[in-house]
């Protein structure tokens, strides 16, 4: 009684020194490659420095503890999403003690014998959490692969109660009432060492770009990207706009439904287009996109009909408030 089960994360001895050495090697290689014609615009040294900052923050467990506390604050009113709680003062650079969260790996529910209604619900909960992180909180879990997601109370889920209809007889008039039923399922999100955030200017730009995709405004997408690009050596702006508009049109026709189009393939074509026209995005801008891509395989397996654009509309277009 009074004891709290915990999980203890410990960095491997010597890891800090090994990472520093590897980053020094990468920096040297990047410096050499910048002398290769055509590669200088990529700013490889700058990319390695940003990658180094990301890795170094990830192996300082004090950052992860702070991220957990911030996520718990953002999702305090959302019962469906849980995060471990760091146990202070047992938080150091190389040790993190946090609450132990019970749950089954979400990969257990990817099999054909799992309830289709349950899998669809898990996919919906995951994508709604991600959209909130991106467009509401501007604080995104950057490593949201299936290994970092646990499912609680799945055995309590009753798909027959998804929409509970009640017929009420009032003064000879039958009224159909939809009684909301509490969702017992919880998603537990782990390993929050990697986080993506955008500066306010870039956050608004990312939202505008995504909104333009929703509205099918391909050339507007291109204009926004060009205007806010970190580096832009595009020689044929008109061609870039036409090609981007074609990609957005493809996305609109398929509504970016995970069962109809591979989001990873679409975004790969977008980034190929950016590279071809020498347009470089902010790294965290790309990280936001990557966070969406990471959920593609999971979403496709759980619910082939999950529609990212449709789920994002209430947030982007203000039908559900801002």
């Amino acid at each position: 009684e009074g004891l709290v089960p915990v999980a203890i994360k410990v960095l491997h001895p010597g890891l800090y020194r090994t990472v520093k050495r590897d980053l020094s090697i990468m920096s040297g290689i990047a410096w050499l490659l910048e002398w290769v014609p055509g590669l200088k615009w990529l700013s490889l040294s700058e990319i390695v420095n940003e990658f180094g900052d990301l890795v170094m923050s990830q192996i300082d467990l004090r950052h992860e503890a702070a991220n957990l506390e911030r996520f718990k604050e953002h999702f305090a009113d959302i019962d469906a999403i849980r995060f471990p709680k760091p146990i202070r003062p047992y938080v150091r650079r190389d040790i993190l003690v946090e609450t132990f969260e019970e749950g089954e790996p979400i990969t257990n529910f990817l099999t054909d014998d799992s309830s289709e209604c349950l899998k669809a619900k898990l996919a919906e909960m995951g994508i709604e959490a991600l959209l909130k992180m991106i467009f509401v909180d501007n604080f995104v879990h950057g490593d949201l692969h299936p290994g970092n997601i646990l499912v609680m109370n799945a055995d309590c889920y009753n798909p027959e109660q998804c929409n509970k209809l009640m017929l009420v007889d009032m003064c000879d008039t039958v009224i159909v009432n939809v009684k909301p039923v509490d969702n017992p399922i919880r998603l537990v999100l782990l390993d929050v060492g990697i986080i993506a955030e955008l500066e306010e200017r870039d956050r608004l730009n990312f939202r505008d770009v995504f909104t333009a995709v929703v509205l099918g405004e391909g050339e507007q997408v291109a204009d926004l990207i060009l205007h806010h690009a970190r580096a832009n050596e595009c020689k044929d702006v008109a061609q870039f706009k036409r090609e981007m508009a074609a990609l957005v049109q493809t996305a609109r026709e398929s509504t970016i439904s995970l069962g109809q189009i591979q989001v990873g393939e679409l975004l790969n074509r977008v980034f190929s287009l950016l590279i071809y026209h020498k347009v470089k995005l902010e790294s965290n801008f790309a990280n936001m996109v990557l966070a969406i891509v990471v959920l593609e395989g999971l979403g496709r397996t759980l619910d082939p009909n999950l529609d990212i654009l449709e789920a994002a509309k209430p947030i982007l277009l203000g039908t559900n408030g801002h």
Side-chain angles (χ1 to χ4, degrees):
E1 185 178 351
L3 298 179
V4 178
V6 300
I8 303 176
K9 297 183 69 171
V10 182
L11 291 187
H12 192 281
L15 177 63
Y16 188 84
R17 184 171 55 254
T18 301
V19 170
K20 292 285 286 185
R21 181 200 63 200
D22 291 348
L23 289 174
S24 295
I25 295 173
M26 293 174 63
S27 294
I29 294 174
W31 181 81
L32 290 173
L33 288 176
E34 287 186 342
W35 291 93
V36 176
L39 293 183
K40 187 174 181 60
W41 78 276
L42 288 174
S43 304
L44 294 176
S45 293
E46 186 179 346
I47 292 172
V48 171
N49 288 337
E50 290 182 354
F51 175 73
D53 291 340
L54 176 67
V55 173
M56 295 306 293
S57 67
Q58 189 178 13
I59 62 176
D60 185 341
L61 297 179
R62 293 171 297 186
H63 289 291
E64 180 166 355
N67 292 340
L68 284 171
E69 290 169 337
R70 191 165 168 187
F71 271 124
K72 288 184 73 67
E73 180 182 345
H74 289 168
F75 285 85
D77 298 327
I78 301 178
D79 293 334
I81 306 297
R82 291 175 58 94
F83 296 87
K85 177 183 178 181
I87 308 296
R88 297 189 182 274
Y90 308 108
V91 176
R92 291 168 39 187
R93 191 185 77 178
D94 55 349
I95 297 177
L96 169 60
V97 180
E98 61 187 20
T99 55
F100 180 80
E101 302 293 334
E102 298 280 356
E104 299 179 64
I106 199 169
T107 50
N108 290 359
F109 300 90
L110 303 182
T111 58
D112 293 336
D113 55 352
S114 296
S115 163
E116 294 300 321
C117 184
L118 173 59
K119 291 196 291 186
K121 187 63 178 178
L122 294 175
E124 175 190 340
M125 291 168 62
I127 201 65
E128 287 182 353
L130 178 63
L131 291 172
K132 170 177 161 51
M133 292 178 192
I134 293 175
F135 296 113
V136 178
D137 303 328
N138 187 28
F139 193 71
V140 182
H141 192 314
D143 196 19
L144 208 52
H145 60 78
N148 284 336
I149 306 175
L150 300 179
V151 180
M152 298 176 62
N153 304 329
D155 54 341
C156 300
Y157 183 68
N158 183 0
E160 295 180 358
Q161 291 185 323
C162 288
N163 291 303
K164 193 170 184 179
L165 299 181
M166 298 178 60
L167 299 181
V168 182
D169 188 356
M170 297 182 63
C171 302
D172 298 326
T173 301
V174 176
I175 299 176
V176 180
N177 180 36
V178 181
K179 182 179 180 181
V181 177
D182 290 338
N183 173 27
I185 305 175
R186 304 289 183 266
L187 291 184
V188 183
L189 308 184
L190 309 173
D191 197 5
V192 300
I194 300 178
I195 293 299
E197 292 181 273
L198 294 175
E199 297 293 335
E200 181 64 13
R201 171 177 174 271
D202 296 322
R203 184 189 70 83
L204 294 175
N205 179 42
F206 187 84
R207 185 186 182 107
D208 289 344
V209 168
F210 217 93
T211 303
V213 172
V214 169
L215 299 176
E217 299 171 350
E219 292 203 5
Q220 175 71 0
V221 172
D223 282 333
L224 288 166
I225 289 177
L226 288 172
H227 182 67
H228 294 279
R230 172 188 292 184
N232 174 13
E233 296 183 16
C234 183
K235 305 299 183 185
D236 191 342
V237 173
Q239 180 64 20
F240 175 71
K241 288 184 178 181
R242 285 193 295 270
E243 293 180 19
M244 185 64 72
L247 287 181
V248 172
Q249 182 61 30
T250 299
R252 283 287 294 171
E253 290 174 354
S254 300
T255 65
I256 306 192
S257 174
L258 298 185
Q260 299 174 23
I261 186 169
Q262 293 186 8
V263 178
E265 179 182 341
L266 172 64
L267 294 174
N268 182 56
R269 291 172 61 192
V270 170
F271 280 105
S272 295
L273 186 61
L274 295 176
I275 292 172
Y276 178 79
H277 288 279
K278 295 188 175 181
V279 178
K280 185 166 61 174
L281 299 177
E282 288 289 341
S283 58
N284 273 343
F285 198 107
N287 289 338
M288 294 286 189
V289 174
L290 183 60
I292 297 174
V293 175
V294 168
L295 282 181
E296 176 192 15
L298 179 61
R300 180 183 296 277
T301 306
L302 289 170
D303 182 10
N305 296 315
L306 183 65
D307 188 340
I308 293 177
L309 285 188
E310 196 63 32
K313 280 182 179 180
I315 296 177
L316 296 175
L317 304 182
T319 56
N320 230 16
H322 293 282

